[in-house]
Each structure stands twice: as C-alpha cells, then as structure tokens.
Amino acid sequence: MAASKRCNVSSENLTVNDVKTPKIDINGKVDLIIQSKKHANDVFDVLEYLQSEKEKNVVCAIDGCTKLFSTLLERGELYVGKLPKEELLIGGDRSADEKYCMFMRHRYNSCLELLLEHISHESYQIKESALCALMQFASMEGKFPLQDLDWSEHYSFPRELIQAVVERLLSQDEDMALLISRFQKYMDMEDVRYYVMSSVRDNVGRVMDKTKGVSPARTGNNVFTLLSNINMPSQESELTNYLVKQEGQPAEHKRTFERLWLGFLKYKLPSNMYKKVLVILHDSILPHISNPTLMIDFLTAAYDVGGAISLLALNGLFVLIHQHNLDYPDFYKKLYSLLEPSVFHVKYRARFFHLANLFLSSTHLPVYLVAAFAKRLSRLALTAPPAVLLMVLPFICNLIRRHPACRVLIHRPKACDDPYLMEEEDPSQCHALESSLWEIQTLQKHYHPDVATAAMVINKPLSQQEDAISELLELSTYELMERDLKHKQSKTVPLEFDPATQLLQGSGGVGVLGLNFSLE
Amino acid sequence: MGKPPKKKNLADKVRKTKTSTEIKNNPFEVKINRKKFDILGRKSKHDVGLPGVSRSKAINKRKETLLKEYKTKDKANKFIDKRFGEYDTKMDPEEKILQRFSMERQRTQDKKDMYNLNEEEELTHYGQSLSEMEKLNDMVDSDDDADEKGVLSAELTASHFGGGGLLRKKTQGEKDNGGNQRAKSRQELIEELILKSKQEKRERQNQKEESQVLTEKLDQDWKSIQGLLAHKNAPKADRLEEEDKPKLDEYDMMVRELGFEMKAQPSEKMKTPEEVAREERERLQKLEADRLRRMMGDVVEDCTKTQAHMSADDLNDGFILDGDEKPTLAYQDGKWNINKEGAKIEGDEDEGGGEGESGEEESGGEEEEEGSGEDSHSDLDSEQESEGGEEEEEEEGEKDEVPATKSQLSEEERKAQAEAAKGELPYTFKAPESYSDLKGLLQGHPADHQCIILARTQKCNHPSLAVGNKLKLQKLFGFLLEYVGELASRSPPELSTIDKMITQLYGLCQLFPEAASKAMQTTLVDSAHRMEEILEVKGRAAFPQLDMLIYLKITALLFPTSDFRHPVTTPALLYISQALTKCPVMSLEDVTSGLVLCCLAVEYVSFSKRFCPELINFLLGVLHLAVQDKTSTGYSVVPPFRQNGKVSDLLVLSDPESSQTWSKKTLPLSATQTLTLTTDLDTDHYRLSAVATCMDLLKHCSSLYRELTSYSHIFQPITTLLSKHLPIKTYPAALQDLHGEILATISGSLTSRPLLVFQKKKPIPLKLFTPKIVEVLDYGKKRGNTKEEREKERLNHKYKKEFKGALREIRKDTRFLAREKLNEVMGRDAERKRKVKELFGSLATQEGEWKALKRRKNSRH
C-alpha cells in the first residue's frame, strides 16, 4: 500500500516538474541574461521556447521575452539606429559592448517576428499574450526609441510595429473579432488609435487594389470590426490618454478617421456589411467626421438600393438633412416608394416608422402628400400582422390629426368610387385625396379585439390629442399575447356549447381541417 | 386634636344619605341637557344627567380599584381573607355571620359525633335525612319509574334543605351556588325542579330505548353467528330449523313490505317529446344569442350571469345533458327501442351496476358461499333479485333486438367485446397526482380502455364525493393535455387515441372552465415564448410541432372561437398569426404545417367572419410556391415568403404528366412532421394535394370575406396569381374546376363601397329648468356611499369616541391619585404637627411643673 502511494506521489511530482520546468527555466534564463552579459547566448533558448508546441510554454516564453526585452530597452542595451547585417557583425571592428547591443537587437527583431506570427496562432490565449507583448514593446519603444532622433521628429512612435500588428489583425484567413475587441483597449489611447487608423487605411487600400475593388469577406469583416471598435472621443479636450507622451491634434485625428471611413466605403461592400455600416453610421460615424456632407454620396447610393438598405440609409440621411442642411430632391417621393408590404415584416421596422413619424411630423407638408401616405399605409395594413396594425392605425390617425384637411379621408358625405392608384409612384398623382380609408373600415372586422377597437376610432371625429406610438413601435406578437393575458380576466370563461366528440369536428359537422386533413 | 381628619365628599354624602327618587327630584342634583331641536321619534339617552351621583360612583369605583392598587404598590405580599363568604358581595353580613357560626358549630360537632346521642341529630338513610325523605318521596316517585330507587338528585335535596346542612359541607364550590340559589324565590325553584326532573326522565327513556335497540341488534347478530356455529355442530338439525324459520306469516311480510315501501311522491309531469324538443331548441337559441352577443363584443363584461350551460335543474353533478345523445326509453312496435348511441350510455350504466355489484359482493360474500346452489332466502337477496331482474330485462331487450338489423348485431358484438375487456379493468382509480402517474395509468392500454379509465377516474373522484376531488380533477385536465401533447409528438402520432379523448377533455372543461382555460393559456404562451426566443436569436423560427397544432384544434373545440375577446381563443389566434408570419417555409412538411394552421385560422374565424390578413398572405405565398415563372409578377408576396429564392419552387410540378394520375385525397396530419415520399410521382401528387387544399381554403376565404369593404383589394394579388401565373393548364380537372370557382366567387362579388362618414352624434339636450328630483330612500346621516366606506366611517367615529373617553378616564385617574397623594401628605403633616404639639405640651407641663416645684422650693426656702 505504502509503496504504491509513494509511487503515485512520485509520478505526480514528476509531472509537476515537467510542467514547471520550462517556466522556471525561462525565468531563470531571463534573469541570468539580465544580470550579466555573459549569459547572452541563453536568449536563443528562450526564443526556442517561443516556438514550442505547448501552449503553456509559449505563453511563459512570451512573458519572459516581454520582461527581458523591456528591461534591455530601458537600459538602452539594444542597438539604436540602422542595424547592420548579422553576418557583418562578426567581422566588424566594433567594441564588445556595441557588438552585444547589436546582437541583442537582432534577437529582439526575431522575437518581434515570432510574436507577429503568433497573432495568427490557433490558440486564443497565445494570440492574446502575443498581442499584449507587442503592445508592451510598442510602448517601451515609444519611450526609448530605437531610431536615431533626427531633426524631423519631436517624438517617435513605433509606427512600423503598429502597422505590422494591424496587418496581422486584418488577416484574410480568419475572423479576428475576439482579438480585435481585446485590441480595443489599446485603441482607447489617442496615439495608438491615430496610427492604427492610418495604417488600416493603407492596408485596406492595398488589399482592395490587390483584389480589384472586391473586398474578401474575411478581411471586410475584420476591417469592419476594427473600425466599429474605434471610439472617437466626443470632445476634443479628452485627448489625454497616450501610449507615448506627446501632444495631439484632434483635428488631424478627425480627418484621419474620416479618410479611413471614406476609404473603406469607397469599395463595393456585400449587402450584410452595408447594413452593418448603416446601422452604426448615424450614431458612431457621422458625429466624428469633420465634414459629414462627404457621406452624402454613400448615403444616397444606399438609399437608392431599395429594401432594407434604403430603410437604414434613411437614418443617416435624416441626420444630414436635419443638422447639415442637406437638400434631398424628391425625398418624400422616395420615402413613399419605400412603403412596400414587406416594410411591416422587416427587422428594422421600428426604426423606419420612428423616422417616418419624424419626417411626417412637419405641418408644412402638402395635403396630397400626407393623404397619399395615409392611404398607402392603410392599403398595406391589409397585409399586416396585428402587432404592427396596433402601431399603424394610430400612425394614420395621427397623420390625419396633424393635417385636418385630410379629414375627408375618413369623412366624405359624397359617394365615390376608389380612385386611388396603388401602382403610381408619385404621391401627387395617386389621387389619394379623392379616396377614403375603407381599409380601416375593413380592419374593424379584424380578429384581434384591440385592432378592431383601434380601427373603430374613425367612426367618430378624431380627438385633438395625438396617440403616442413610441412604445408601440417595437411591439411583438408575443408581447401582444402577454398583454391579452394580463387583461382583466372575467370571472367566467365562456365555453363551447356544442359538445365535442371528435378531434376534427367543426361547427356543424366536419370542420375545415377535417375536410382537408385526415388523422394519420 | 385639630380638625376632623378628612372632609367628607359632598357628592358621596348626598348619595349615601338620600334615596334615588329623592335625588332625582332634587333640582340641584339634576342637570338637563338642552336640546336645540326636537326631533320626533328620536330617543335621546342623555337628556337628563345626575352629575353628582355619577361622580360619586366614579370615585367609589376608583377607591375600590385604583386606590387599592396604589396602596398595594410596591408590596409583594397579599392578604387573603379565607373566612367563609368574605368576598361574596351578594351575601348579607348577617347571613354571613350566621353561616360562619353554623359552620363553626358543625366542625366542633363532627368530632364528637360518634358519642353524641343528642336527639336533635337527624336520622339518615343513604346519607339522606329520613324525615325529609318521607315528605318528598311521593312527589318524585309520582312521575318516576321504579328504577329511580329513591335516589334524590343533589339539586333536589339542596333546594329542599335550604342549600346547606350536612351534604354541603364537603364541596366548597357548590356552596357559592347554594348562596346564589338562595336569591331565587321558592316558586321559581319548584318550576326549575319540575323542568329538570322531566328532562331527566326523557333522557332516561331515550337511553332505555337505545339500549333496547342495541340489545336487539346484538341478539340478531348472535343469531346469525349462532346459525353458523350451529350449522357446523349440527348441520342437519339447524337446516330443519332454518326451514321452519323463513315461514313467516305472509300477511306480516306484506305489511312490512308496505311499510318500507317508498311513499309515492308527486313527480313532475312527463314532458311530451314536442315539449322536450321545444325546450332544447329554446336552450340552443339562448346559447346562440349569447354567443352572438359575445361576438359583437359590446357587452363585454356581463359575468354576473351564471355559467351559460347551467340549466335550472342542473345539480352541478357533472351530468351533461346533451339532447341528441339521450336515449329515449320507449317501446316501438312492442319492442324496446334502443338508440345506437345507447351503447355508450349502457356502458355507463353497466359501470354503475358493476360498482354496485362489487360492493355487494364484498358485503354479502359469506351468504353467497353459504347458499349459492339453494334458493335465495336471505333478506338481502331481494335487492340482488331486482338487479338481476333488470339485467334479465336488458338482455331480453337485446335479444329482441338482435334479429332486427344486421348492423346492430355487429354493434352487439363490439359491445360484447368491450364488455369482456372492461371485465379486466379495475373499477376505481385514484386520481393521478402527477403527469407520470397519469402516464403510468394509461400506458399499455388500447385507446378505448384509456377512455374508460379516464371516465372511471372522473367518476370515482367526482367533486361531490370528497372535498379534494375538485382540485384533483382540475389537475387531471392539465395532465391529460400534456398526455395528448405527448401522444401527438410520438412518431407516428397516435391521433386516433387523441380523437377518442376529446370527449373526456370536453367533459372536464365543462366542469372546470377556469382551470381548463388556465392550462390552455399556459401551454400556448409557453410555446409562443419559446418561438419568440428563437426568433430573437436567429431571426426565424421553425413551424410549431404537431402537438401545438392539436392543442390549437382542441382549443377551438372547447372554447367558442367567435367571441370578440376570449381569454383562450384570442391568444390562440395570435399564436397562429405569429407562426404564419414568422416561420419561413423550407420544406413540404412546412407547407403542410402552414396549411393546417390556415385551416385552423379559417375555422377560428368562420363563424364570426373576422378578417385575418396573415391567412390570406400565407395562402398567397403557398400558391406562389407553385408558380413556375417568378420574375415579373403583378403581386408581391409578404414575408416569410420570398419573391424568389432557393425554396420558392417547392410546389412546382417536376413532371406535368403526373397530374393525370392524381386523385383528390386528404392530407395526413402526420405529414407535418415527417414526410416520406419516395418517387417523383408521389411528390408531385403530394404537391397537387397541397395546392388543392390551398385552393379549397381560398374558396372558403373568398366566401367568408365577401362582406368586407376592401374585398377586391384583399384578393387582388390572389386573383392576379390565379389568373395569370398559376400553371393551371397542367393541373387535373378537379383543380381546374376549383380554380374557376374561386375566380368566379371573387369577381362575382362586387363590393359596394359605403360612405365613410362619422357616426351621427347624439345632440346634446338643452338645459332644462325643471328641478331635478332625486328620491331619497333612506333618511338620516349618510356619509360615504359604499358599504366599506360607511363601515370605515363608523369605526373611525367609534375609535375617536373611545380614544377621547379613555383620555378622559386617564385624566380622572391621575387627578384622583394626585388627590389621594395630597391627602396622604396632608394627613402625615397634620399627624406630625399634632405630635409636635403634644410633645411641646408635655414639655411645657414638665417645665411648668418643674418651675412650680422650684418656686415651691424657693418659697420653702
């Protein structure tokens, strides 16, 4: 018994040793190298660990490297300036110190290369460690520049390093979303963001040129993730957070940001990317662009695409019209043509109707236009689900309230036929004002009690107060169902008095289901 | 020796010295509360008061309570006077003294009793004084039975001996009673006595009767057991004896039979068939009117009315009257006429009979053992005989029927089989406590048996039988629903079993509408919630499974679908709508599910003719799947369908020739889950069937929505599709006919557009100057309108009054105490003064004496 126990213990010890050894080894070696120049050659061992298969070893090695080279950078033991070739080093007539610095600089460079490779590693942990190490090096390099400080620069920033990192991040082969979100922490710093933006611009330009304007999906995704993660500071005074101490020029930042986006959007995007961009456009792009009117081209193009993309472009256009005096010809005509049966079913329904409500809230609109909108909406309401109807009906009523001249739509003592032309694209030609909203009358027979009640409103003169539709915008069928159940329950539940004996029975014999389906 | 120690309270003095009438007549004592108004019929309690009297009363009361408490404050010990009657206020002091004296005497006497030959001592018998007994015995005996044995009740003696004497000595408690009784007059006592003795007599008699009955019963029991015993010992002799025994007098038997026979009771007049039919029709008409009213939704809340299906005669015993299924017991051409449906009800009867039989078997098992071969002689057998007779009758009836028709013969066979099967099933079931219980109960039985089990469970646990049963059955509905869902989700789904269970579900639902609706709602909402969650994550969801479809259908069977707002059917319709708008059609199974949902939607709105846009959208989408050329269409489909995509050719025929061999048949419901179509021909046939179903539904819709104002706009895309894009030429003739029919219906209905104008408002009436007369029904103060408000007002008022009273009392108490304390202090001071004076006085005399002595001495000198 005792023997076996000891055996177990010893085997455990062995495994522990196995695991621990590399870590201790690396740490010891790093310490040795830092302590004296004699052990300089141990750096090869550390770099070897960096190429190891085991995830743990690699992570340890990355840590070790970070420590080692940070210290060396701090001490100034890395060669500064243009580095001669390794082969030349041996023969050169330099002092030993100088040689050592050069040697270390070479090792440092190869370490950087290895780390950059690791950014594309399969394991996320290694990716993350590598990224952190690189950024650490970047910050150290910023403080202790490896280039000669010449006359042209007041400060130095490891531009090449950042560019290399960005290039890796915008990989064409895999989705880097996770790592990019990790990278976001560094992008909070002003200078990093600035250089990242400029290097992304270069990179995108290069990739797009290579693929002839069609962006590969992966890269596109990565670029978009990176871009959408760029949080521009809302105020200029906030430029305080730097990786390397320096003075900032917020205007320059804005310009870079703008050029970056314009550069990205210039290329042909897949439609889902288009949608993603449009969703965040008004919120996180437009406010940070120095000259938002430059986006007009992009937005008008998007608005003309049709379908969901048009709906989404509406938001950006609204910002431009509202804040930047954009004059969009035939805007309402276009808006009118966006009203399709599918508009009630798409995901961005709430956003669209919110904006449409804003656009149509002006009391200076011509009556024919408002009437056309009301008529078209009510015609489309014949295909809408109940949750939408509960929003659309008050919407139409609000339109009529705002424009009392539209009252004829629901109150016309003269008899007439329906002259409305559904196919007509131009709201001024569709004769909506000569029609009536019979569709709403039809909806009074809707199966859902709330919808029927809402449609009943047109039977009486409308009240002055507008209905609030903001909380109805996002109503879903399930919420409607819940609302029904919360409804005050009457004491007794009415029951069917026809006794049921069969599954397929209907009112008076076999039901419709029974006629068409059998119990099999 | 100053003033008198305490000034007597004036009020006390008045009260003590004068009688009540004197006080009342003294105008200085009486305080009259002036009334502002004289109100007729109002009795005022407080118009005259005697403040002096009431004050002295209050002071006295305080002296007895508060002062005593004050005096004993901080004193732990308590003095209890144990002398007889010390705390008895009802006793006169003289009486008290007398009693004490006599008790003292007795105590001293008892000790010397033995040797005391004093003639004053009374002679006793059984502890009673002999002389007294002689006087009273007659009276008691006169209306008492011999078994009284001359024992007098304690009360009796007590009253006659004046509540004391020797008997009383031992029980302390009773003494007080005696004292109390003393206050009553003799007359009353006598009356009470008589009453008590009568009561006692009655009780005795009752007891006697009871014991007699018990004895008789015991005798009888003994006899029956004796018979057995004797049978074992001497069977022959006993048998003879027994044969003798039953030869009761025939007359006696008759008399007894007549005595026990139920008295004829007046019954309701038998209704003629016409009357019954008319009542049934009226009932249905009323229900229909109710349904219409609910459909309009104008009288939404009228829940005060009782349950719609309660008839006046309903005993709420779960018996459901359904007119058409009720077998009428009638003879036709001299034969017993049994309806076809009679089978079911007979089954029920059989069950009842069976239960009864089993019960009898238990009770009379011994007898059967005893005399199975012999003719029945036990009196218990009479019931059995009658039962048997009935059965025989039934059998006869059946036998008569057998040659009548062949179909009924098969019916008989089936019944016989069912009978045999039922024999194996137990008759009582415990109500399942959980779903697994129910599953365990039903599993392994064929569908028919499952129904029988459910019916029996329901009967055994009827709410009228035990308190908890209602809850159990309410739960049963939920479990059954769950079970149905499980049956439907098995593969292949056991739909025929579900079909049979509908009756049970309906019955339970009628019994417990609330529980049923709650269970149904929960099912629907849960499923809708699941779908919503999937929608939020993925943006689209799969069609509901077959169990949900079945639930929706059951909902339509149990609850009225035509109501304007119904707690179950409205959510159910919303669920259908959610499924029809959010679930994309990816396969033929999805098409089938969607069509089932459409059928359900049509059924839901068929009576109320309500408009369901999703239904039309979906049907349009399904037909669009069958269109070959999807490029330039004059209509647009609505999501979940797409104008063109990879699954938008689901219903396009792969080979137009296959329509030649197609024949219309109904689709199986199981096709919503799994569809196995091996050949292209099968698939094409299935496609055609789906299209046919879709067209049939369209036909229904087109006639259903004929009255809607926007009829033509609603059906415009469908007309375009049907007339221009659907490859109708390649379809079989039946479909072509249907197609023509629909188009004709749609084009045939020219919708008139009514004027769209506001409803005329009722003109606001001019102001009138005649006074408005409001009838006042109850006079007096009226605060608050509702009962609760008034109650609250009343309580508030009472509380205020009590609070004020309590405050006043407390103030008076403190004042009283302060006065007492002051008195105490004054008393103490006076005492001290007196003592000091005394001392000074004595000293002065001493001094005087001493001086006098001195003087005398001086004078001597």
Side-chain angles (χ1 to χ4, degrees), chain B residues 8-74:
Chain B
K8 197 84 176 169
N9 201 330
L10 196 68
D12 276 349
K13 212 162 70 188
V14 167
R15 210 172 74 92
K16 284 267 166 66
T17 50
K18 291 183 176 157
T19 60
S20 61
T21 45
E22 234 176 319
I23 293 169
K24 268 178 196 159
N25 290 335
N26 186 355
F28 295 103
E29 283 287 337
V30 177
K31 162 102 167 60
I32 295 172
N33 292 324
R34 197 174 61 87
K35 273 188 281 186
K36 253 182 185 169
F37 309 105
D38 266 334
I39 296 164
L40 281 178
R42 174 182 283 184
K43 274 184 197 163
S44 151
K45 274 187 235 167
H46 310 291
D47 50 351
V48 175
L50 299 168
V53 175
S54 54
R55 189 175 303 136
S56 87
K57 257 188 200 164
I59 287 169
N60 270 338
K61 206 173 173 190
R62 289 214 168 76
K63 269 183 185 158
E64 271 161 27
T65 55
L66 196 64
L67 192 62
K68 276 198 178 136
E69 255 175 59
Y70 175 65
K71 290 261 162 87
T72 56
K73 202 175 87 177
D74 302 331

Side-chain angles (χ1 to χ4, degrees), chain A residues 386 442 445 450 459 503 520, chain B residues 499 565 611 614 670 710 759:
Chain A
T442 307
K445 290 284 281 177
D450 290 344
N459 285 352
L503 185 61
E520 278 170 33
Chain B
D499 189 33
R565 187 191 288 280
F611 176 48
E614 297 87 341
S670 56
S710 307
Q759 279 169 358

Side-chain angles (χ1 to χ4, degrees), chain A residues 421-492:
Chain A
L421 301 170
M422 186 71 176
E423 279 74 32
E424 179 59 53
E425 298 246 317
D426 187 0
S428 61
Q429 308 289 316
C430 67
H431 303 289
L433 208 52
E434 288 123 61
S435 177
S436 290
L437 301 183
W438 286 287
E439 291 84 2
I440 296 185
Q441 200 185 32
T442 307
L443 287 175
Q444 290 175 1
K445 290 284 281 177
H446 194 270
Y447 67 89
H448 195 266
D450 290 344
V451 174
T453 323
M456 290 289 183
V457 174
I458 62 152
N459 285 352
K460 292 192 191 108
L462 294 174
S463 60
Q464 284 299 308
Q465 189 73 35
E466 280 192 21
D467 297 321
I469 62 161
S470 51
E471 64 261 31
L472 296 170
L473 283 173
E474 307 242 29
L475 195 70
S476 73
T477 314
Y478 173 68
E479 280 164 358
L480 196 60
M481 202 188 273
E482 270 192 332
R483 231 166 58 161
D484 259 359
L485 294 183
K486 274 189 201 133
H487 209 265
K488 189 174 71 68
Q489 301 263 336
S490 61
K491 290 277 187 304
T492 56

Side-chain angles (χ1 to χ4, degrees), chain B residues 125-145:
Chain B
H125 174 66
Y126 279 103
Q128 318 276 321
S129 144
L130 278 178
S131 55
E132 295 293 321
M133 213 159 68
E134 271 165 78
K135 273 187 216 163
L136 285 165
N137 251 356
D138 310 21
M139 206 186 85
V140 176
D141 275 31
S142 63
D143 51 4
D144 217 337
D145 287 344

Side-chain angles (χ1 to χ4, degrees), chain A residues 146-279:
Chain A
L146 289 177
Q147 260 81 28
D148 279 326
L149 274 187
D150 52 359
W151 47 272
S152 63
E153 302 193 48
H154 301 291
Y155 61 88
S156 85
F157 193 86
R159 235 175 293 176
E160 286 83 15
L161 188 55
I162 292 287
Q163 197 152 3
V165 170
V166 167
E167 201 169 332
R168 295 290 171 164
L169 279 180
L170 302 182
S171 145
Q172 296 189 22
D173 307 320
E174 55 182 325
D175 192 9
M176 289 289 197
L178 260 176
L179 202 61
I180 288 173
S181 63
R182 179 77 180 77
F183 189 61
Q184 198 193 354
K185 200 187 85 185
Y186 296 105
M187 283 200 293
D188 283 345
M189 284 178 276
E190 312 299 332
D191 45 2
V192 178
R193 187 170 56 230
Y194 177 75
Y195 287 108
V196 165
M197 286 194 295
S198 44
S199 48
V200 167
R201 188 156 60 96
D202 294 346
N203 193 291
V204 169
R206 225 173 322 118
V207 171
M208 295 295 182
D209 288 342
K210 218 188 285 173
T211 54
K212 304 200 173 61
V214 183
S215 104
R218 281 273 162 67
T219 318
N221 262 335
N222 285 335
V223 171
F224 177 74
T225 324
L226 190 61
L227 290 187
S228 58
N229 271 324
I230 295 177
N231 289 329
M232 286 298 280
S234 52
Q235 289 198 337
E236 300 183 353
S237 59
E238 273 180 25
L239 291 177
T240 49
N241 190 2
Y242 290 103
L243 185 71
V244 181
K245 193 72 198 133
Q246 56 188 258
E247 288 133 46
Q249 315 97 320
E252 187 63 29
H253 277 242
K254 269 198 163 182
R255 217 170 304 131
T256 322
F257 185 70
E258 175 191 306
R259 253 181 284 153
L260 169 63
W261 270 110
L262 287 178
F264 178 58
L265 297 180
K266 163 170 85 178
Y267 301 103
K268 192 169 173 349
L269 302 174
S271 81
N272 63 337
M273 184 69 64
Y274 229 127
K275 281 183 197 167
K276 276 185 193 166
V277 172
L278 285 170
V279 166

Side-chain angles (χ1 to χ4, degrees), chain B residues 529-544:
Chain B
H529 184 65
R530 250 174 283 134
M531 197 192 281
E532 177 78 10
E533 275 177 345
I534 295 171
L535 274 176
E536 263 172 28
V537 176
K538 280 206 229 154
R540 58 205 169 87
F543 267 94

Side-chain angles (χ1 to χ4, degrees), chain B residues 374-595:
Chain B
E374 274 76 40
D375 48 353
S376 52
H377 44 72
S378 164
D379 44 0
L380 266 168
D381 276 7
S382 63
E383 276 178 61
Q384 257 183 346
E385 248 180 344
S386 66
E387 190 92 0
E390 263 179 29
E391 271 169 30
E392 269 176 15
E393 248 178 45
E394 257 177 62
E395 272 166 21
E396 273 168 23
E398 282 160 18
K399 272 174 206 158
D400 284 355
E401 217 182 25
V402 169
T405 48
K406 256 194 177 166
S407 68
Q408 271 171 337
L409 185 125
S410 67
E411 186 91 3
E412 292 292 326
E413 278 173 4
R414 206 171 59 76
K415 203 162 65 186
Q417 280 173 2
E419 204 92 20
K422 266 182 238 162
E424 295 160 12
L425 289 174
Y427 288 98
T428 55
F429 292 95
K430 240 179 75 194
E433 292 292 326
S434 67
Y435 171 60
S436 48
D437 275 7
L438 180 80
K439 224 171 117 182
L441 204 64
L442 295 183
Q443 217 146 37
H445 292 285
D448 285 337
H449 283 203
Q450 293 187 4
C451 284
I452 293 165
I453 290 170
L454 285 173
R456 284 181 184 169
T457 312
Q458 220 171 313
K459 261 186 199 146
C460 293
N461 296 286
H462 196 270
S464 58
L465 295 178
V467 187
N469 280 351
K470 195 175 166 190
L471 208 68
K472 280 184 198 161
L473 285 187
Q474 281 180 355
K475 275 195 218 154
L476 180 65
F477 183 86
F479 301 148
L480 200 55
L481 217 57
E482 214 177 324
Y483 185 66
V484 165
E486 203 213 283
L487 285 181
S489 42
R490 279 181 197 168
S491 65
E494 296 176 22
L495 294 172
S496 51
T497 317
I498 297 175
D499 189 33
K500 298 226 170 62
M501 284 184 177
I502 293 298
T503 326
Q504 301 298 332
L505 276 171
Y506 182 78
L508 278 172
C509 179
Q510 293 285 331
L511 273 179
F512 312 109
E514 279 85 25
S517 66
K518 188 106 311 131
M520 216 44 152
Q521 274 176 352
T522 320
T523 318
L524 287 172
V525 170
D526 283 354
S527 182
H529 184 65
R530 250 174 283 134
M531 197 192 281
E532 177 78 10
E533 275 177 345
I534 295 171
L535 274 176
E536 263 172 28
V537 176
K538 280 206 229 154
R540 58 205 169 87
F543 267 94
Q545 298 289 307
L546 184 59
D547 54 343
M548 271 323 288
L549 302 180
I550 297 292
Y551 283 144
L552 287 170
K553 176 63 199 169
I554 290 174
T555 306
L557 289 175
L558 299 185
F559 301 101
T561 51
S562 57
D563 285 12
F564 183 68
R565 187 191 288 280
H566 189 280
V568 186
T569 46
T570 308
L573 253 175
L574 275 178
Y575 182 80
I576 294 176
S577 146
Q578 192 189 23
L580 285 182
T581 48
K582 291 288 193 294
C583 303
V585 174
M586 309 299 284
S587 60
L588 278 178
E589 283 91 336
D590 287 347
V591 172
T592 323
S593 293
L595 285 175

